[in-house]
Amino acid sequence: MRGTPDILINSAEIELWPARRLRARGNRDARALARARYVLRRKRDGRYLAAELDEGLLALVPRLAREPGLDEALAALEAIPTHRRSGIERVGELPLARLEQRLRVLGLDHGYGERTGLPLVAEPDWLALAGFDRYRRPLWLHVEAARGWRHLQAEALADGIVLEAISGYRSHDYQLAIFERKRARGLEVEQILRVNAAPGYSEHHSGLALDIGAPGEPPAEESFEDTEAFAWLCDNAAGHGFTMSYPRDNPHGIVYEPWHWAWHRA
């Protein structure tokens, strides 16, 4: 099988993952992933839909042809560009598809953005592998944020500080799933909104933001501010383009998140 670049190709309904970065969920998946270049993965629930093999597309679900967004995903597969050129690679944005539908599910409308001052955030049309997170999952980020994170992490390590990524890019569908899981546990939407931005409004959609932790520390907890890792970030992150997005008493109504940092162009 020809080499696979470490990039995730994005479309509105389906992600195209390098097969070697996915875990098999059964014998059939294992056989397909061993031969595949890319795997089409449904964003809504993570289901593997099809594998791109040398001899063609292998369906991993029944009635693949009826899968929403399949034509768009196949077009993206055919148009995979070369992403290893010098300089800053071009990254486009996906349309803000089905956003109103997602907000209606939560009883929200576009007034949410006006009330919080949070902008709508489009998803990039491809993301770069920026290493792996604490749980050994691939960490996908916008290519510029990926470079910044690798440099930031390396400089911290040179100073004796270990920075762990907790999570990076999240799709609109993934953000909606966070809300659905918390609602299933009995939380109200307004309670969740104090911790998580509504689908379409999270910085994680852009691939420019990531949650950072330190070894031995619980993920995404305020106690992170008491670590040497946090102190080092406060002194050095800005030099690599990263800033903390939600300090105390931020105007968006989101709780203090010392773990959430985003990369910004100079």
Side-chain angles (χ1 to χ4, degrees):
M1 179 58 59
R2 57 196 179 279
T4 304
D6 282 322
I7 58 174
L8 184 150
I9 305 299
N10 210 0
S11 67
E13 309 268 2
I14 296 170
E15 296 169 340
L16 287 74
W17 277 64
R20 63 183 176 180
R21 299 305 179 190
L22 288 171
R23 296 175 181 173
R25 298 167 179 172
N27 290 336
R28 189 186 184 208
D29 283 354
R31 290 193 296 270
L33 265 58
R35 300 172 55 216
R37 180 170 180 254
Y38 276 95
V39 171
L40 280 64
R41 183 175 182 265
R42 187 189 291 145
K43 293 169 80 167
R44 176 165 46 85
D45 58 9
R47 182 78 180 272
Y48 299 169
L49 302 173
E52 183 211 17
L53 309 180
D54 281 335
E55 61 268 30
L57 201 65
L58 173 66
L60 300 176
V61 294
R63 297 183 293 278
L64 174 65
R66 301 182 186 178
E67 188 68 32
L70 180 64
D71 288 344
E72 181 186 354
L74 292 178
L77 187 63
E78 288 294 323
I80 291 175
T82 300
H83 291 285
R84 292 295 181 264
R85 298 172 182 169
S86 60
I88 300 300
E89 296 91 338
R90 176 190 170 276
V91 179
E93 293 182 344
L94 299 181
L96 289 163
R98 298 187 295 118
L99 180 58
E100 290 185 1
Q101 175 187 338
R102 292 183 180 93
L103 294 175
R104 281 199 301 271
V105 168
L106 301 175
L108 299 173
D109 55 28
H110 290 294
Y112 167 80
E114 297 173 2
R115 293 192 301 274
T116 60
L118 292 170
L120 285 171
V121 181
E123 300 175 33
D125 58 6
W126 71 276
L127 297 114
L129 184 69
F132 297 87
D133 66 17
R134 169 183 290 185
Y135 311 102
R136 298 308 300 164
R137 300 173 302 192
L139 176 69
W140 299 109
L141 292 173
H142 184 290
V143 63
E144 296 178 82
R147 289 195 188 101
W149 166 245
R150 287 192 294 264
H151 293 158
L152 182 72
Q153 196 176 35
E155 185 173 305
L157 188 60
D159 289 340
I161 301 295
V162 176
L163 300 179
E164 294 182 329
I166 304 300
S167 65
Y169 161 73
R170 296 178 197 156
S171 69
H172 295 164
D173 279 336
Y174 188 97
Q175 194 77 1
L176 180 58
I178 290 174
F179 277 75
E180 290 173 340
R181 288 195 297 271
K182 291 188 175 184
R183 292 176 76 189
R185 297 203 303 265
L187 293 177
E188 299 293 332
V189 170
E190 287 303 318
Q191 293 175 285
I192 304 170
L193 287 173
R194 288 197 287 272
V195 180
N196 299 106
Y201 293 89
S202 171
E203 282 189 326
H204 285 284
H205 300 325
S206 68
L208 297 172
L210 75 162
D211 296 335
I212 301 174
E217 288 294 318
E221 293 289 343
E222 191 172 315
S223 60
F224 179 62
E225 73 170 352
D226 298 322
T227 65
E228 292 183 356
F230 178 74
W232 189 93
L233 284 168
C234 290
D235 290 339
N236 297 279
H240 294 274
F242 285 92
T243 58
M244 184 170 53
S245 298
Y246 304 116
R248 283 191 173 87
D249 302 318
N250 65 81
H252 307 298
I254 294 176
V255 297
Y256 172 48
E257 294 189 355
W259 61 86
H260 181 110
W261 296 72
W263 184 91
H264 300 276
R265 290 182 178 86

